[in-house]
Amino acid sequence: MNDWQRWLQAPQTLWLRRALFQVHLWLGIGFGLYLLVISVSGSAVVLRPQFSQWFTPSRVPSTAGEALRGQALEAKVAEVYSDAQVTTVAVSTIPGRAVYVAMTREGREYTRFFDPYTGTDLGETFPWPVRTMEWLVKLHDDLLLDRTGRQINGLGGMLLLLMLMTGLVLWWPGRAHWRNSLVIRRRSARSLFWQLHTVLGLWSLLLLLVWGLSAIYFAFPAPFEFIIDSFDADLYDAERPDGWLLLLLDLHFGRFGGLWGRLTWVVLGLLPAFMFITGFVLWWRRVVTGRLKEKWLRSSAP
């Protein structure tokens, strides 16, 4: 039986597969915590536009009655914020929008939204849920390290692609068993964690591939732009062949399907974290627990 036949029938016997298993294993362990942070933060920031809408009080609760204007508005603002020095009162031209108020208090600048219909304070223009979301965005985009962090993310995208390719090779169980590896089965010789790791890894392969490629693009856009320019160098061409790149970005951020589409992406965004957790459990059970048990048996032997 040659190597190709062994690959089709019994891939576990090939030394190359065993070598790729070690690559996949140690990439997962060494790269896993990073992947966990990126996965959880990326899943959260999908809802960034919604957080701004939900928690920023930029609209007044009701437009019933007559809004304060001119000197009456400025006098009411000065009364409500009497413990601060008001520096700016900006009335929006959009109906139903709150008045933007900037002020200083004890040498610090503050900005608030003000209801001109009721004459009450509505809250911060940048409340803590939105601040937290923006912090998560920076963590996800550049690991709080600006350009250096974005380049690290690009390298992370490359490592993710390597993990995907090695994982795909490791998934192949042989021609006689590949159908059984497409679904999770109650009666299986493999553990539930092994099935979850391999089956979900296979079915999420394309999505993980999209995230890996887009991470590389954000850090190193030049090769992608070179490919597009090789087909059409006219930057002003409305038919410039960059639709695939725009689709890649939409898929990365979950920019489709409205709120339900984004909520779906929130759940799917946790797949890399789930893959790390299941892989870590498999490694712990197989390697760490086995070694601890072996050590205990040696120490307890007479």
Side-chain angles (χ1 to χ4, degrees), residues 237-253:
D237 186 358
E239 298 182 356
R240 186 171 158 83
D242 55 0
W244 63 273
L245 183 57
L246 298 177
L247 176 61
L248 187 72
L249 300 183
D250 287 341
L251 288 172
H252 184 97
F253 293 108

Side-chain angles (χ1 to χ4, degrees), residues 69-85:
R69 300 180 185 279
Q71 293 182 348
L73 173 62
E74 293 179 0
K76 189 61 179 179
V77 167
E79 177 187 341
V80 172
Y81 306 111
S82 58
D83 60 339
Q85 181 180 357

